[in-house]
Amino acid sequence: MIAALALLGLMGIVDPAFGQVAPEIGYVYPSGGRAGTTVDVKIGGYDWTTDTQLFVHDPRIKLEILGPPGEVLVPPPPYWFGAKGRGPAWPLPREFPARLTIPADVPPGLVRFQVANANGASSVGLFHVSDLPEIAEDPYRKTPQRLADLPVIVSGQIGLIEEVDQYDFFAPQSGPITIELIARRMGSPLHGLIQVRDEERRAIVDVADTEGNDLTATFTARAGAKYTLSLHDLDFAGDKSYVYRLAIVPGPRVVAAYPAAGRRGSTQPIDFIGVGIASGAERLETLTRNVTIPTAAGIGKFTYVLDTPAGPARPIELLISDVPETTEAPGASRTIISQLPCAVTGSMESRFGADHFILPLIKGAPWRIEAQAHEIGSPLDPELVLLGPDGKEIAANDDQPGTTSAQLFVTATTDGPHTLIITDRSGKSGARDANYRLVIERPQDNFMISGPSQLAAPLGGKFKLALKAVRGGECKGPIQVSLTGLPPGVSAPAETMIPEGKAEIVVELPCAADAPAAASLVTLSATARIGDQMATRTAAPILLATTMKPRIKITPEGLDDVRKVHRGSTYLAPLLIERLEGYEGPITLEMTARQQRHRQGLSSREFVVSPARTRVEYPIFVPEWMETTKTSRMILNGVVRVSDPMGNVRSLVQRMEMRIGILPEGALLKIASPVGEISVKPGEEIRLPLIVSRAPELNEAVIVELLADASQTMLFSAEPVRFSVSDREGTLAVRLANDAPCHGDLSLTVRATALQKGSGPVVSETTVVVTVKSKP
């Protein structure tokens, strides 16, 4: 039922708010924090405005924006070239400084949040709360980052393509160490690849996340030994959104439990399967413990920490059930079930194997049969087939919506033994660490309600809210629906009802024209009769934002034409602006987050259009490294600030219609150095020889300067040099600080800039490898 609602919740009717650009969540970095701490973070937002509001679904946690955003972040080099350079662009964020405050009573796990402004509301974003000591990655290090103590969680970021993050750590004692990567679960695009090597550079761990499920690995360490962990994306991709949490914890890891659930209120033995849980060795082992299952109603799972001779294992989740829980006999492929309802935890003895269960079904009796895998942390993909007493297929199912688990609702048409066949489509069966849980029970009289995660309501208009109900068993009566916490000006009908036997309803909600542009988390609840009692269910909240009409329309002059532009130069793109609703004020133009063919650094900055102007030339910089055979695109947002009906100043974002197409051609300016490498000692000055080549139309001086990145600003310094029109060769004096540590090889970037009349800057860059040597 929950899996079905996860799909149905995406099916709300969300009308775009007059074509404006709603904000989207990119990432949080660091991407979480420890319970009981306050963390300064950066939030990468797509098409956010300065008046964007944050909404955390856990009311105990506070996430607040501290200041204005930075510029639109275009990923720096290296870039994709060739076939990969022609793929779709990654979204471009702006980063907001923010503060995350997590009370001590917040349990470990993922926390949902959303954002909204006068253009609409976002879908759900995630950050992670831990109960372990935490550190942040040092992005400027040149060698592996030393992790002083274990356990630890590292918040990191694969910020560039080809980037590899490395960490050194020492084993506090001999025994298992468990490594867990959390990335995909937070919405990060990172498909991690992790290697751990010992001091002899031997690979101890080598695992890759090819399925997008994140990684967990356990290895046996020697006390005091040093290990180096390397992490990168499977495709060596990377940008600011590739955030991760990396937990390195001494102790073993549980991978399966038999049974995988316990009956509510009971104490029962459970066989745990895990790496090193019995002896600490690097192998699958079994350890049995008596586990007391919580008695509280309404709880479907609980967290359990297995105490082992090698120390506590990483926490796992066990399910709570209300039916007898048993396990399949080891090695059995055919099991006779004598009593229903029940649940059986089992495993298949071979890859792509099959288990058979003989069920004593009675004519006319309804049953719900489910094979769970994802819910118990198993990698299996089970499929169910039910055969009648005559051997003919009655029903079959592979995947439920939103999960790989399989489910059947059947009513036997005849008495007698029915055969239930469970097979696996994942190819990961054949071992005890890959299990499934078979549940056979009566369909429960129950219901659930869901709606979309976000909605936009235009001021002075109406919008439609689609609600879905999933009914179980004999729950077929009417369902009373209520909405609370609506934004000012939005009203709901006095009574909203999903009729008897129906599964959905569309509610039309009006929004007053004189209301403020505001947003709130709306609580959706439903009440229906189950048996002889009324029951209420609450859905995930809906973020509802009231929005304003656009004030501008922007199109490129010449519509979707492609212009040839010299590499390294600035192109002034002509744009036409249509002003709407009487707006005559200034307009800020900026890059939209969702570009198209934009993988090689095409960039621009904020540009303010003066009041009343209806045509403007917008500067776009075309880097010298862009491929001349590849067309790139630029799409802009226009941002205006206007007052809502209550006098609150809000920012409205309108995406440009059509695109600006650019096909790079030969460069007008080129800087190079005849020396590719040079050595220097702390305190010394080096004179870099440089050669500047330019086209005849560049008839003004060229300014040459050193571009030091954040890790080099305290090490190197250089005064800019002016190359006159007649100068072709020259030098740039670069000094290394007296107290500079020995860093080995460093890459210095030198930039040349000239002005092209009627256009803008023309830029060329070159790099020189500098080897920093220690003083004798």
Side-chain angles (χ1 to χ4, degrees):
M1 181 178 292
I2 294 173
L5 287 176
L7 177 66
L8 295 173
L10 302 175
M11 299 172 59
I13 299 176
V14 185
D15 293 326
F18 301 109
Q20 287 169 254
V21 184
E24 297 180 71
I25 293 174
Y27 55 90
V28 179
Y29 181 73
S31 47
R34 187 179 188 180
T37 65
T38 297
V39 186
D40 287 334
V41 301
K42 294 179 180 179
I43 306 179
Y46 304 136
D47 298 319
W48 287 22
T49 57
T50 55
D51 57 348
T52 297
Q53 298 173 266
L54 295 170
F55 298 86
V56 181
H57 287 208
D58 188 332
R60 296 171 294 183
I61 297 175
K62 186 177 183 181
L63 181 60
E64 54 187 331
I65 294 176
L66 301 180
E71 296 181 351
V72 175
L73 294 177
V74 177
Y79 296 107
W80 295 117
F81 292 97
K84 289 185 178 180
R86 287 158 170 77
W90 292 279
L92 307 178
R94 300 182 74 176
E95 288 189 340
F96 286 72
R99 181 166 295 148
L100 175 62
T101 303
I102 310 171
D105 62 342
V106 176
L110 297 174
V111 178
R112 298 155 61 94
F113 77 105
Q114 292 175 267
V115 299
N117 57 25
N119 306 280
S122 76
S123 56
V124 173
L126 297 164
F127 58 84
H128 179 254
V129 174
S130 81
D131 57 356
L132 296 174
E134 299 208 4
I135 66 167
E137 172 199 8
D138 176 7
Y140 305 122
R141 68 188 185 279
K142 301 298 182 183
T143 57
Q145 183 173 344
R146 169 77 179 274
L147 305 180
D149 298 299
L150 301 184
V152 69
I153 282 188
V154 182
S155 279
Q157 198 172 37
I158 303 294
L160 302 171
I161 68 171
E162 301 179 358
E163 181 176 319
V164 179
D165 286 354
Q166 292 188 308
Y167 302 96
D168 284 344
F169 60 91
F170 291 83
Q173 69 267 336
S174 295
I177 290 180
T178 296
I179 299 168
E180 181 180 10
L181 175 68
I182 303 172
R184 301 288 298 180
R185 282 170 281 176
M186 298 188 299
S188 171
L190 173 64
H191 286 259
L193 190 151
I194 290 178
Q195 284 189 333
V196 177
R197 294 183 178 273
D198 63 13
E199 293 175 283
E200 285 73 41
R201 302 301 298 162
R202 292 175 300 192
I204 307 300
V205 174
D206 191 351
V207 290
D209 177 21
T210 59
E211 298 181 352
N213 296 323
D214 288 337
L215 295 172
T216 305
T218 301
F219 72 97
T220 301
R222 292 182 293 106
K226 175 183 152 184
Y227 297 91
T228 299
L229 183 149
S230 299
L231 168 64
H232 60 82
D233 180 70
L234 189 63
D235 196 35
F236 283 96
D239 66 21
K240 290 283 189 177
S241 68
Y242 282 66
V243 296
Y244 62 85
R245 305 266 281 170
L246 184 67
I248 307 176
V249 183
R253 171 171 55 104
V254 175
V255 295
Y258 290 81
R263 192 168 190 178
R264 194 180 309 274
S266 68
T267 297
Q268 66 183 75
I270 295 181
D271 291 338
F272 293 95
I273 311 298
V275 180
I277 62 175
S279 67
E282 195 171 330
R283 60 173 180 260
L284 282 179
E285 300 177 325
T286 302
L287 189 62
T288 304
R289 290 285 187 266
N290 287 324
V291 178
T292 300
I293 312 302
T295 60
I299 301 176
K301 58 185 177 182
F302 70 104
T303 299
Y304 182 79
V305 177
L306 177 66
D307 189 22
T308 80
R314 296 294 296 144
I316 64 167
E317 286 188 338
L318 295 174
L319 300 184
I320 303 173
S321 81
D322 295 301
V323 300
E325 295 283 338
T326 62
T327 59
E328 177 192 32
S333 60
R334 184 175 184 272
T335 301
I336 298 175
I337 294 179
S338 59
Q339 187 174 0
L340 298 177
C342 71
V344 182
T345 300
S347 64
M348 299 169 199
E349 293 301 306
S350 60
R351 289 186 64 201
F352 302 107
D355 282 355
H356 294 68
F357 292 86
I358 309 303
L359 310 181
L361 301 187
I362 299 174
K363 179 179 179 180
W367 293 98
R368 184 184 78 89
I369 304 173
E370 182 179 16
Q372 297 175 337
H374 173 78
E375 292 83 350
I376 61 174
S378 170
L380 297 184
D381 180 4
E383 181 180 21
L384 288 174
V385 176
L386 182 65
L387 307 179
D390 58 359
K392 294 182 179 179
E393 182 178 309
I394 295 175
N397 179 254
D398 180 11
D399 294 335
Q400 300 179 68
T403 179
T404 57
S405 296
Q407 183 173 252
L408 299 174
F409 288 93
V410 296
T411 299
T413 59
T414 183
D415 295 341
H418 289 60
T419 302
L420 180 70
I421 304 173
I422 302 180
T423 54
D424 170 53
R425 289 178 171 267
S426 71
K428 297 178 180 178
S429 54
R432 292 277 285 170
D433 60 334
N435 58 346
Y436 63 83
R437 178 173 176 256
L438 175 65
V439 183
I440 309 169
E441 62 183 2
R442 296 288 190 189
Q444 297 179 358
D445 294 343
N446 203 351
F447 71 98
M448 296 293 288
I449 189 75
S450 72
S453 62
Q454 79 271 17
L455 274 175
L459 294 177
K462 295 181 179 181
F463 65 102
K464 295 178 180 180
L465 170 60
L467 303 177
K468 304 284 184 178
V470 175
R471 301 173 184 267
E474 296 300 316
C475 182
K476 296 182 169 61
I479 301 174
Q480 179 75 40
V481 179
S482 67
L483 298 167
T484 56
L486 292 167
V490 178
S491 56
E495 181 174 302
T496 301
M497 190 79 68
I498 299 178
E500 181 175 353
K502 299 295 183 181
E504 60 186 66
I505 188 174
V506 176
V507 183
E508 189 170 78
L509 305 177
C511 181
D514 58 354
S520 64
L521 281 174
V522 177
T523 300
L524 168 64
S525 59
T527 302
R529 183 174 295 280
I530 297 179
D532 58 357
Q533 293 183 338
M534 300 301 292
T536 298
R537 304 285 183 261
T538 301
I542 302 170
L543 183 57
L544 176 54
T546 53
T547 60
M548 301 168 63
K549 291 182 179 180
R551 299 302 196 268
I552 55 173
K553 178 181 176 182
I554 305 171
T555 55
E557 190 174 70
L559 300 180
D560 204 18
D561 290 348
V562 174
R563 288 83 167 179
K564 289 186 177 181
V565 181
H566 292 290
R567 294 191 296 178
S569 67
T570 302
Y571 170 60
L572 300 181
L575 304 175
L576 302 178
I577 300 172
E578 182 181 352
R579 295 175 176 268
L580 309 173
E581 304 291 326
Y583 180 76
E584 294 295 332
I587 303 166
T588 300
L589 300 178
E590 64 181 19
M591 300 176 67
T592 192
R594 296 285 177 181
Q595 299 288 334
Q596 290 182 346
R597 297 183 66 181
H598 190 287
R599 285 195 168 196
Q600 293 178 357
L602 194 68
S603 64
S604 63
R605 294 191 173 186
E606 281 191 358
F607 183 89
V608 178
V609 180
S610 303
R613 290 192 64 180
T614 57
R615 186 185 183 277
V616 69
E617 292 182 334
Y618 180 77
I620 300 173
F621 180 66
V622 182
E624 64 175 320
W625 52 75
M626 292 185 67
E627 291 177 284
T628 56
T629 59
K630 184 182 80 70
T631 301
S632 290
R633 308 288 184 181
M634 175 68 78
I635 307 173
L636 306 177
N637 286 340
V639 183
V640 302
R641 290 179 60 80
V642 296
S643 296
D644 69 9
M646 299 299 292
N648 305 308
V649 178
R650 305 304 305 269
S651 296
L652 304 184
V653 182
Q654 188 74 19
R655 182 175 285 125
M656 179 182 78
E657 298 190 9
M658 312 299 289
R659 307 161 299 177
I660 301 169
I662 290 176
L663 179 61
E665 58 180 352
L668 298 175
L669 177 68
K670 183 63 180 177
I671 186 171
S673 176
V675 295
E677 299 182 14
I678 195 166
S679 299
V680 63
K681 297 176 182 178
E684 287 185 347
E685 181 180 271
I686 53 176
R687 302 186 66 83
L688 294 178
L690 300 169
I691 301 172
V692 174
S693 303
R694 72 188 92 185
E697 52 262 50
L698 298 182
N699 52 14
E700 295 188 11
V702 174
I703 305 300
V704 177
E705 59 188 329
L706 177 69
L707 289 184
D709 65 28
S711 66
Q712 299 172 346
T713 52
M714 302 301 293
L715 299 177
F716 295 95
S717 60
E719 292 294 325
V721 175
R722 185 176 183 273
F723 280 56
S724 68
V725 176
S726 59
D727 291 335
R728 185 174 180 272
E729 298 182 1
T731 59
L732 179 68
V734 180
R735 174 167 289 277
L736 180 63
N738 282 316
D739 57 350
C742 181
H743 280 281
D745 291 343
L746 297 174
S747 180
L748 291 184
T749 300
V750 179
R751 172 181 288 177
T753 304
L755 290 178
Q756 183 179 12
K757 289 183 179 180
S759 179
V762 177
V763 177
S764 178
E765 296 177 2
T766 190
T767 59
V768 177
V769 175
V770 176
T771 301
V772 181
K773 295 187 174 181
S774 300
K775 290 183 178 180

